[in-house]
Amino acid sequence: MDRPTPDPDALAPTAPRSPASLAWWQERVLYQIFVPSFQDADGDGFGDLAGLISRLDHLSDLGIGAVWLTPIYATPFEDAGYDVTDFTQVGARFGDLPTFDRLLAGLHARDIRLILDFVPNHTSDRHPWFRESRASRASPRRDWYVWRDPGPEGSAPNNWLSRFGGSAWTHDARTDQSYYHAFLPSQPDLNWRNPEVRRAMHEVMRFWLRRGVDGFRIDAAAVLAEDAALRDDPPNPDFDGDTPPPERFRRLRTDSQVVTLDYLAELRRVVEEFPDRVLLGEVDTAPDKLPGFYGEGTRRLHLPLNYRLLSVPWKAAALAGAVDAFLDALPPGAWPNWVLGSHDKARIASRVGPAQARVAALMLLTLPGTPMLFAGDEIGMPNVPVPVDRMRDPFERLVPGYGLSRDPSRVPLPWTAGPGGGFSAVEPWLPAPCPPPVAPVAAQARDPASLLSLYRAVIALRRRRPEFRAGGYARLRAEGGVFAYARDLDGVRGIVALNLTPSRLEAEVGTGRILLSTRPGRGGACEGRLCLEPHEGVVIAA
Ligand code: NOJ
């Protein structure tokens, strides 16, 4: 008798799945490209789409299955492109629509999907919608943004703070009202409570979906709508002298509002008008809120991006605990995902050091769920200090003294050992140190012991062995500096054992054959008690 097929919507996140049932976004490795720093082709010092086309071999050789591009739209570039003046135009610094179509075709020809950054929460203050909105209180687009009368004596309408420092309200003398901005004053928030705004943004999505994009990463997905009554945020009880001022209050009235979840469900319905597309979302939320973003009964995001591994102490017990806590927080049917880097966070190689960066690679690619790799992490790019006079991220300038600049993880990638690292023929928009801080892509591609070769090998292993894509997850140990887990599928067990310490350790993890190690050249059998070299991670076929 046939076994009944389990309902994927009812499965625990740690349960095995049938490999054939997985969607592309569940089994592939996703790769985030910060476009301004990937490859410049037109010689203006900024990465662009033509440059990306010239680097497609790197993506195929790495073995990733989808790319997420940071914003490529028309923009004055005050926040690295997250300040958009036209959502359906490619910005001139990035290229044009025909080049975009060429890129999409080139990616699809290599069986690589394309995910665009969708920035629905705000526009640039130079967007024609905002120009119209601010022109007069009677403007038909007035209500497309969040305008309020000032408080007593011209004060802000309430205590909400911008994430980039100062009040989240900017007073506009022309009409004597203030507009709300979760980010920079030059990034006014759209009013998502207005159905015309929602319709306009749905049309933006359809524009790109019709062109053939495979999905979106929704920027600031948890903050689309604010408390309608504009109630003050309460003080943050953890605020002390070391906390950056924008965190003085807890963002209870602007983050994760119930109505925002309704708007995300609408976005999901839009992508479902097209077959086989995906919605990722930037959602930094408490565990109890996570199920709502996946959707309970209602479908919302396929993958609310999970940044937990970036803040947890890099120790076996803490990592294992963070993995369990995340998996426990997921509702039935939800698919996990793991992120180890982004253009907003410190580079993993700097955080954990080059030796542990290899362990991190192995873990990222073997935990249950979809891995998201940040371009540059595959060659171990560290944070690169950027001198004050070259700084581009407004965050540090607006909230000085806390080391908040995101520029160090955004510098151009080194492709070759030549001047500018092969990124650009001219001085790039952010410094490209010469010599590069790590061996460039070309050198690492030739070196079987490089981090790049390790990434390629582990991605190839995922492709060959379905237990690492679809297998169940069970923690085996998290004590004594070793984090080990099993991935089980139809009687096949893969074991991953990670030494998080600089010491040689022995651990009881099971018997089997070593398939791969972070230390080149290691092979052989494991007879139950495994000896792990300092900073070594291994994969065992049990
Ligand atoms: C999140 C993006 O990742 C970040 O880079 C940007 O500054 C803010 N959203 C505002 O769009």
Side-chain angles (χ1 to χ4, degrees):
M1 209 172 66
D2 283 350
R3 263 189 298 159
T5 318
D7 172 8
D9 288 342
L11 284 175
T14 51
R17 306 272 184 124
S18 141
S21 73
L22 297 186
W24 64 267
W25 50 269
Q26 292 177 305
E27 60 179 359
R28 293 174 177 221
V29 177
L30 312 187
Y31 184 75
Q32 182 200 343
I33 295 181
F34 182 66
V35 181
S37 289
F38 199 68
Q39 178 66 55
D40 175 25
D42 63 4
D44 65 355
F46 275 96
D48 48 44
L49 301 185
L52 230 156
I53 292 173
S54 73
R55 294 293 181 195
L56 290 182
D57 282 351
H58 175 64
L59 309 183
S60 311
D61 294 346
L62 186 55
I64 54 97
V67 293
W68 146 32
L69 305 186
T70 55
I72 54 165
Y73 314 108
T75 172
F77 209 73
E78 288 175 19
D79 183 23
Y82 286 93
D83 47 326
V84 178
T85 51
D86 188 341
F87 290 109
T88 55
Q89 268 307 324
V90 172
R93 76 181 71 224
F94 299 117
D96 51 23
L97 278 171
T99 315
F100 173 82
D101 291 338
R102 266 203 303 130
L103 170 65
L104 185 60
L107 286 165
H108 283 174
R110 290 163 189 259
D111 192 26
I112 298 173
R113 310 280 176 130
L114 174 60
I115 296 168
L116 282 184
D117 218 311
F118 177 56
V119 191
N121 178 69
H122 46 270
T123 67
S124 160
D125 61 350
R126 299 189 215 169
H127 194 294
W129 295 345
F130 188 69
R131 288 185 196 270
E132 275 182 54
S133 181
R134 90 188 311 178
S136 108
R137 289 193 184 205
S139 159
R141 288 216 208 270
R142 185 65 167 181
D143 189 49
W144 279 44
Y145 293 82
V146 183
W147 290 98
R148 288 292 184 282
D149 288 335
E153 291 165 38
S155 59
N158 65 17
N159 74 353
W160 296 350
L161 295 178
S162 154
R163 278 148 175 83
F164 287 148
S167 171
W169 297 93
T170 290
H171 184 250
D172 198 45
R174 220 172 316 176
T175 54
D176 191 24
Q177 279 196 316
S178 300
Y179 63 89
Y180 171 69
H181 48 89
F183 299 95
L184 297 173
S186 58
Q187 292 169 302
D189 267 49
L190 283 162
N191 176 15
W192 270 74
R193 293 178 182 275
N194 182 333
E196 283 178 30
V197 168
R198 301 207 296 280
R199 274 199 295 274
M201 294 309 280
H202 297 167
E203 275 315 304
V204 170
M205 292 174 99
R206 291 191 186 98
F207 173 87
W208 293 106
L209 289 165
R210 275 187 219 113
R211 270 199 127 73
V213 308
D214 298 290
F216 299 100
R217 172 265 189 186
I218 304 177
D219 183 62
V223 308
L224 295 182
E226 304 75 41
D227 179 42
L230 257 60
R231 284 171 291 179
D232 274 353
D233 274 328
N236 173 2
D238 301 325
F239 187 82
D240 61 23
D242 297 332
T243 322
E247 308 311 318
R248 175 177 293 276
F249 302 112
R250 286 180 63 205
R251 294 201 167 84
L252 284 192
R253 307 293 181 206
T254 55
D255 288 17
S256 307
Q257 306 297 296
V258 175
V259 67
T260 292
L261 299 181
D262 294 341
Y263 302 151
L264 293 176
E266 286 179 4
L267 302 187
R268 173 68 172 259
R269 288 197 284 277
V270 173
V271 298
E272 287 185 351
E273 292 167 15
F274 300 78
D276 214 18
R277 314 295 163 105
V278 72
L279 266 192
L280 323 181
E282 186 197 17
V283 174
D284 220 350
T285 196
D288 61 320
K289 297 262 168 51
L290 198 53
F293 283 94
Y294 275 99
E296 297 156 299
T298 310
R299 290 188 301 280
R300 297 192 180 102
L301 302 175
H302 295 93
L303 298 176
L305 293 175
N306 165 23
Y307 294 94
R308 284 162 181 73
L309 294 178
L310 286 171
S311 50
V312 67
W314 201 256
K315 301 241 182 316
L319 285 167
V323 169
D324 285 351
F326 174 67
L327 295 173
D328 286 350
L330 300 186
W335 187 253
N337 72 87
W338 308 96
V339 182
L340 270 185
S342 89
H343 64 297
D344 292 330
K345 313 275 185 189
R347 286 275 187 185
I348 186 76
S350 289
R351 194 173 152 236
V352 304
Q356 281 296 319
R358 300 177 72 89
V359 173
L362 192 52
M363 182 174 72
L364 173 72
L365 295 164
T366 54
L367 283 174
T370 303
M372 167 79 81
L373 173 57
F374 178 44
D377 284 346
E378 75 274 31
I379 55 167
M381 274 296 277
N383 297 327
V384 174
V386 173
V388 178
D389 62 326
R390 293 290 306 271
M391 244 156 43
R392 298 296 294 252
D393 184 11
F395 205 178
E396 177 72 25
R397 186 169 30 85
L398 294 169
V399 187
Y402 295 86
L404 294 175
S405 173
R406 297 165 294 177
D407 289 335
S409 57
R410 296 178 172 185
V411 301
L413 296 195
W415 297 96
T416 63
F423 165 75
S424 176
V426 301
E427 181 60 30
W429 73 289
L430 276 177
C434 190
V438 286
V441 172
Q444 293 205 25
R446 289 189 301 269
D447 174 5
S450 70
L451 181 60
L452 178 59
S453 295
L454 176 68
Y455 264 101
R456 288 177 176 180
V458 188
I459 293 175
L461 178 90
R462 267 181 72 90
R463 289 195 159 188
R464 274 198 317 275
R465 302 192 73 105
E467 63 271 27
F468 293 107
R469 305 193 305 273
Y473 170 85
R475 181 213 278 208
L476 298 177
R477 61 176 292 146
E479 314 83 42
V482 176
F483 175 25
Y485 45 90
R487 303 293 312 276
D488 292 302
L489 185 70
D490 297 331
V492 176
R493 165 165 276 205
I495 294 174
V496 179
L498 310 169
N499 179 355
L500 277 299
T501 78
S503 313
R504 206 160 186 253
L505 295 174
E506 284 198 8
E508 206 77 61
V509 291
T511 52
R513 186 165 54 87
I514 296 179
L515 290 176
L516 188 146
S517 163
T518 55
R519 291 175 76 87
R522 162 103 179 223
C526 169
E527 301 296 341
R529 235 181 140 60
L530 175 69
C531 189
L532 288 167
E533 296 298 326
H535 305 293
E536 184 181 29
V538 296
V539 180
I540 298 164

